[in-house]
Amino acid sequence: KQWYQRRVRGGKGGKGKQTDDDISPSASALIILVSLLVGKFGTTLSKISIHQLYQEEIPRHERGMIAGVQVTMNTFFKTISMCIALFASTAENFIYLVWMSVVVETAILALYSQFAWNYSRGGVP
């Protein structure tokens, strides 16, 4: 509580110190905006990479089927994540959502690493 009072009132004497009123709220908004833009840029680059791999590795007559399966799987997992977030929407459950996300991302990394290893050794058709 003493830290809060010193911070808000500008120190013990209240002179010459920065208060919370002096901090611009646009700094937080700028950080959020930049992080969203960087995230979208990374997502766009990954989509371009995936489509380039499609063009290089998959025969033309099979591309439509694979794209359909990919869209279906993306929709399925997005629906699952929305349902989980709907039922676990309280602040107390947020940590469980974070850990589920970490586990899923780790599993994806492990599966893709195994695929890349097999592909580099010529084991993937």
Side-chain angles (χ1 to χ4, degrees):
K1 184 170 178 165
Q2 291 175 354
W3 174 84
Y4 176 75
Q5 289 174 347
R6 282 196 308 265
R7 177 79 175 136
V8 172
R9 294 185 183 148
K12 292 184 179 183
K15 297 179 183 176
K17 299 279 184 174
Q18 183 181 18
T19 64
D20 287 341
D21 296 333
D22 296 336
I23 298 173
S24 172
S26 63
S28 299
L30 183 63
I31 290 172
I32 291 173
L33 180 63
V34 168
S35 64
L36 288 173
L37 289 175
V38 169
K40 286 292 184 182
F41 182 71
T43 302
T44 303
L45 285 181
S46 68
K47 286 181 179 181
I48 290 171
S49 313
I50 290 169
H51 286 290
Q52 182 65 29
L53 286 172
Y54 280 170
Q55 297 293 326
E56 292 174 355
E57 301 292 330
I58 300 172
R60 172 172 260 158
H61 64 278
E62 294 179 4
R63 289 181 195 154
M65 179 182 65
I66 292 174
V69 170
Q70 181 186 13
V71 168
T72 302
M73 294 299 288
N74 286 344
T75 304
F76 172 74
F77 285 116
K78 191 170 196 165
T79 303
I80 294 294
S81 70
M82 293 294 179
C83 289
I84 290 171
L86 179 68
F87 292 114
S89 61
T90 62
E92 294 83 22
N93 294 332
F94 183 73
I95 191 67
Y96 299 119
L97 296 175
V98 170
W99 280 111
M100 283 192 298
S101 177
V102 168
V103 168
V104 169
E105 291 293 331
T106 304
I108 289 170
L109 177 65
L111 290 172
Y112 183 74
S113 298
Q114 181 183 10
F115 169 79
W117 175 261
N118 289 339
Y119 185 79
S120 69
R121 298 177 62 105
V124 176

